[in-house]
Amino acid sequence: MFRITLPDGSVREVAPGTTPADIAAAIGPGLAKAAIAARVDGELRDIGRPFEGDSQLALVTSKDEKDALELARHDYAHILAEAVQKLFPRTQITFGPSTDDGFYYDFAPERPFTEEDLPAIEAEMRRIIAANEPLVREVWSRQQLIERWRAQGETFKAEWAAELPEGEELTVYRAGKGEDAWLDMCRGPHLASTGKVDPNAFKLTRVSGAYWRGDQKNAMLSRIYGTGWLNKKQLDEHLHRLEEAAKRDHRKLGAEMDLFHLQAEAHGSVFWHPHGFTIWRQLEAYMRRAIDDAGYQEVKTPQVMDARQWEQSGHWGKYRENMFVIPDEVPNVDDEGPIVSDDAQWMALKPMNCPAHVLIFRQGIKSYRDLPLRLYENGCCHRNEPHGALHGLMRVRQFTQDDAHIFCREDQIVEEVQAFCRLADRIYRDFGFTYSIKLALRPEKRFGTEEMWDKAEAELRDAVVRAGLATEEYGWEELPGEGAFYAPKLEWHLTDAIGRTWQVGTIQSDRVLPERLDASYVGEDGERHRPVMLHRAIFGSYERFIGILIEHFAGRLPTWLAPTQAVVATIVSDADDYARQAADRLRAAGIRVETDLRNEKINYKVREHSVAKVPHLLVVGKREAEEGTVALRVLGSQGQQMLTLDEVVAKLVEEATPPDLR
């Protein structure tokens, strides 16, 4: 008999072959109907998978939304693959995981799929759901799987199965019964049958290309994306968010507001236009004031460093695939022969600033009295992201971090992390964001001892607790396996105006890099000691933070950040001189102002400057010129205010003052 312990501590003794579904039924018919899966010793499993020994059991229902969504989306992906093969029998299947808001599946079809194929596929998916086919887990040998896939002409699945370890337990899921049953190789878990998902809670959204196993040297596949939820209400809310997100897309607004552009000649690097770089400069000035007040010292470090430095720091071994490497020699300029010789020494564009900051710390002897030493850099970095992963300002290859490293003693760590928490809180609130805090714990691949990681994680946790932020209000959560290879980290996840979250700020407690790069200070005892290095950023990168701000505010940036804070537009040419005078007054008061004296109708001008998201439009005609007034139109509001020029100047000066200077 197996002893099964329930969350309330009660124990049930059951015979081998018993499943979580059996226990749910024994407890009551309500739970039997509601239970959709089970956590057995913490592992999410099928509700019908038999116990294998004494176990801790927690039954999963749709109220356990995170688990329920993952299961439903996984099922939608399998149902999608089954539907495609029923409609297009010669299509090969590969893999299809769940995602943060849905699922996708990669196919090798006879012809690439198009958006026009999606309605028919959706209809077939609903037919499969209505059939309520049981989803049965089976364990197969590796050779069985290879033979099955080869017999069915599934060359991609056969290739994958052939590479799996000999002794590993391999599972397939069978949908349906008899000869018509559909199979897929999958770890699971799944719901008990296809009818357990809501036929009205999913939608196929788009089609794209994808390389087999993510390698552009391999075959091009057709990827079908979908979004899946627990019910139609959730789906409708998500589709509404997508509509809002499309309106707020920073790439679309960036073009309309003439902020920046990207082009193939510089993949993943941004061409900032004057208006866009004005936003950048305002953020940079704001951040400099913040770090000056917080006791940081600004530095500047090289873009290119020798590969030996990156080997010593550990990045060459752990991170080289994401680095741009360059030869340290003069290239061959002849038409024949290789451009670079085999004897070239290698250098790399820096993907991060931390090793260079350690090298600054190592210059001269440091005393315990010099600590904490806070070094800040608006550091330009390069990371070799795949072309397909690039996305506007959100995922780039060249970016600038608001990066700082705090070198401190062991007894200063908690206090420094607390101070950073206070600084981050003030800055995010200045920009109108709410946030949650997560602690990312040690990953599988990492440097350092277990003792070192235990201590580093405990210090970050303690600092958040002392700061009063380890609460439900701040979304406190610990994320196993999500830390960097050299340190655990705290993450700040911002929530924007339409409810999306963005991971932005971070602070990491690192004992590995000071050790690897031999950083030390002289302690009170006269002996050499290793400093602890706190890596921290608040914006994350300027590029991505600007993208987030554009989408959060839908382009309607606060006046202090707006590239053009006001436009003085004329109704008639008789008011041109007054418009220039008004603009001069505003400019003298520090307002970024332009004039629009074109011979166009005022409604045309209003529309154009509204699209450009100018926060204040000052309309002047012959009467306003005679009276020394303006008609003030505020972006997003109906109607206008009649104010004197002095009143307008005072109002705009107040709104244009950065929040930290008010």
Side-chain angles (χ1 to χ4, degrees):
M1 300 291 281
F2 297 153
R3 290 173 57 83
I4 308 302
T5 305
L6 300 177
D8 64 0
S10 63
V11 176
R12 290 179 178 250
E13 293 196 349
V14 300
T18 301
T19 68
D22 295 329
I23 289 185
I27 293 172
L31 185 57
K33 185 178 179 180
I36 57 174
R39 283 205 170 272
V40 178
D41 295 330
E43 178 189 358
L44 190 62
R45 289 190 175 188
D46 303 338
I47 192 76
R49 180 175 169 182
F51 295 106
E52 293 150 7
D54 295 348
S55 306
Q56 301 276 339
L57 170 65
L59 293 165
V60 175
T61 71
S62 59
K63 291 180 180 178
D64 303 301
E65 191 167 288
K66 185 176 179 181
D67 285 341
L69 278 170
E70 183 179 338
L71 288 159
R73 288 165 180 165
H74 196 173
D75 280 19
Y76 282 127
H78 275 248
I79 293 166
L80 165 61
E82 182 180 355
V84 165
Q85 287 204 310
K86 288 187 184 302
L87 292 175
F88 307 94
R90 294 184 181 179
T91 298
Q92 292 190 57
I93 56 174
T94 63
F95 293 101
S98 60
T99 64
D100 287 344
D101 60 8
F103 56 94
Y104 68 80
Y105 209 105
D106 289 344
F107 301 96
E110 287 189 295
R111 62 159 177 84
F113 292 126
T114 67
E115 308 284 331
E116 286 71 34
D117 295 317
L118 300 185
I121 297 172
E122 282 188 356
E124 181 62 22
M125 289 176 68
R126 292 192 171 91
R127 190 200 66 74
I128 293 169
I129 293 169
N132 198 24
E133 300 170 348
L135 292 168
V136 180
R137 179 180 183 271
E138 299 175 0
V139 178
W140 288 36
S141 71
R142 189 170 71 123
Q143 195 55 39
Q144 278 180 301
L145 271 176
I146 295 170
E147 290 172 2
R148 169 72 181 224
W149 296 134
R150 285 177 178 166
Q152 290 188 330
E154 297 282 3
T155 58
F156 295 94
K157 287 285 193 184
E159 176 188 323
W160 186 264
E163 295 179 11
L164 295 172
E166 274 286 359
E168 186 173 322
E169 182 179 77
L170 306 179
T171 55
V172 299
Y173 278 79
R174 181 185 297 273
K177 298 178 180 178
E179 294 184 2
D180 293 333
W182 182 83
L183 267 71
D184 196 5
M185 182 166 63
C186 178
R187 293 180 184 274
H190 281 283
L191 298 171
S193 66
T194 59
K196 296 295 184 183
V197 293
D198 188 333
N200 299 311
F202 79 93
K203 182 176 178 58
L204 301 183
T205 53
R206 62 190 174 97
V207 175
S208 75
Y211 292 107
W212 167 236
R213 303 175 82 165
D215 188 336
Q216 60 186 6
K217 297 175 185 175
N218 291 337
M220 174 63 79
L221 307 173
S222 274
R223 176 174 293 179
I224 298 179
Y225 287 92
T227 184
W229 300 84
L230 300 180
N231 53 60
K232 189 174 185 301
K233 181 183 176 186
Q234 288 183 342
L235 173 66
D236 290 343
E237 289 172 349
H238 175 71
L239 295 177
H240 176 69
R241 285 195 297 271
L242 289 182
E243 288 177 15
E244 276 297 309
K247 294 176 190 173
R248 295 165 178 263
D249 190 317
H250 71 281
R251 295 166 298 179
K252 169 178 168 286
L253 292 173
E256 291 175 357
M257 298 170 67
D258 191 24
L259 303 180
F260 65 89
H261 82 274
L262 299 114
Q263 61 186 70
E265 286 77 5
H267 274 298
S269 299
V270 184
F271 293 82
W272 288 102
H273 299 189
H275 282 173
F277 202 60
T278 297
I279 300 172
W280 181 298
R281 290 177 61 196
Q282 292 303 309
L283 290 176
E284 202 170 52
Y286 171 92
M287 185 55 75
R288 280 201 168 99
R289 291 192 298 271
I291 61 120
D292 286 348
D293 288 346
Y296 289 80
Q297 301 176 60
E298 189 167 358
V299 298
K300 195 72 176 170
T301 58
Q303 283 292 298
V304 180
M305 292 202 300
D306 193 286
R308 286 168 294 188
Q309 179 64 45
W310 298 111
E311 287 171 1
Q312 191 177 354
S313 70
H315 292 88
W316 196 254
K318 297 280 186 181
Y319 204 76
R320 188 168 67 243
E321 66 188 33
N322 299 110
M323 297 169 71
F324 286 100
V325 296
I326 53 178
D328 187 14
E329 71 173 24
V330 178
N332 175 28
V333 295
D334 296 332
D335 293 337
E336 296 182 0
I339 296 174
V340 180
S341 74
D342 293 337
D343 299 326
Q345 297 294 312
W346 291 100
M347 304 184 78
L349 284 168
K350 65 177 178 181
M352 50 197 67
N353 304 296
C354 32
H357 288 193
V358 176
L359 297 183
I360 290 177
F361 178 87
R362 286 181 53 190
Q363 292 298 299
I365 298 172
K366 298 294 185 296
S367 161
Y368 69 95
R369 295 188 183 90
D370 298 321
L371 305 184
L373 178 63
R374 308 180 187 96
L375 300 181
Y376 175 86
E377 180 173 9
N378 286 316
C380 180
C381 298
H382 292 79
R383 294 182 186 172
N384 195 358
E385 302 281 2
H387 287 195
L390 301 175
H391 178 72
L393 300 178
M394 303 303 192
R395 190 85 177 264
V396 291
R397 286 175 150 187
Q398 177 186 297
F399 56 95
T400 299
Q401 295 178 308
D402 65 309
D403 201 12
H405 296 90
I406 303 168
F407 298 88
C408 61
R409 305 189 307 265
E410 295 275 350
D411 62 304
Q412 296 171 323
I413 295 171
V414 174
E415 184 180 339
E416 285 298 310
V417 175
Q418 278 185 270
F420 176 76
C421 289
R422 290 192 294 270
L423 178 62
D425 179 78
R426 176 171 69 79
I427 289 173
Y428 293 142
R429 291 184 188 281
D430 276 351
F431 287 93
F433 288 112
T434 57
Y435 62 84
S436 58
I437 300 181
K438 318 290 182 187
L439 174 57
L441 304 172
R442 68 197 75 183
E444 188 174 335
K445 292 182 178 180
R446 58 184 180 269
F447 285 142
T449 64
E450 293 303 298
E451 181 183 9
M452 191 180 288
W453 279 86
D454 289 342
K455 193 169 187 179
E457 290 171 354
E459 286 160 349
L460 294 181
R461 188 182 293 114
D462 187 29
V464 177
V465 169
R466 291 193 192 184
L469 302 176
T471 65
E472 190 174 330
E473 178 188 354
Y474 288 95
W476 172 249
E477 186 181 1
E478 299 194 4
L479 307 174
E482 295 293 313
F485 67 84
Y486 52 84
K489 58 181 177 176
L490 292 174
E491 300 175 348
W492 275 255
H493 294 248
L494 307 188
T495 302
D496 70 10
I498 58 173
R500 298 172 300 179
T501 58
W502 305 89
Q503 196 267 300
V504 179
T506 182
I507 187 166
Q508 304 169 11
S509 170
D510 179 11
R511 289 172 170 82
V512 173
L513 203 57
E515 180 73 34
R516 292 183 70 91
L517 298 184
D518 195 29
S520 66
Y521 68 91
V522 178
E524 195 171 4
D525 57 2
E527 300 294 326
R528 289 180 66 211
H529 298 270
R530 293 278 181 233
V532 176
M533 187 177 183
L534 302 178
H535 308 245
R536 47 112 294 174
I538 294 178
F539 290 162
S541 79
Y542 279 84
E543 288 81 358
R544 187 164 174 267
F545 196 71
I546 290 172
I548 293 168
L549 286 173
I550 292 169
E551 298 200 1
H552 176 59
F553 290 109
R556 297 174 177 178
L557 296 167
T559 302
W560 73 276
L561 276 178
T564 302
Q565 295 169 324
V567 169
V568 184
T570 54
I571 300 172
V572 293
S573 59
D574 290 349
D576 286 0
D577 287 342
Y578 178 61
R580 293 188 188 97
Q581 292 170 19
D584 288 344
R585 281 281 308 279
L586 289 164
R587 201 171 288 115
I591 303 300
R592 295 186 290 277
V593 61
E594 297 174 4
T595 55
D596 188 345
L597 311 180
R598 294 173 299 166
N599 185 23
E600 299 284 358
K601 291 183 178 180
I602 192 62
N603 286 341
Y604 176 85
K605 295 181 181 182
V606 170
R607 280 195 302 273
E608 187 174 275
H609 296 302
S610 294
V611 169
K613 304 296 188 288
V614 177
H616 298 97
L617 186 62
L618 284 60
V619 178
V620 296
K622 191 172 181 180
R623 188 183 71 177
E624 286 80 11
E626 291 170 351
E627 297 176 354
T629 60
V630 298
L632 176 65
R633 291 171 176 257
V634 178
L635 182 65
S637 65
Q638 301 297 319
Q640 58 189 30
Q641 285 179 280
M642 294 301 299
L643 299 170
T644 67
L645 184 54
D646 288 341
E647 289 172 331
V648 168
V649 171
K651 177 179 175 63
L652 267 61
V653 165
E654 182 180 355
E655 290 191 25
T657 302
D660 60 314
L661 297 179
R662 289 175 191 162

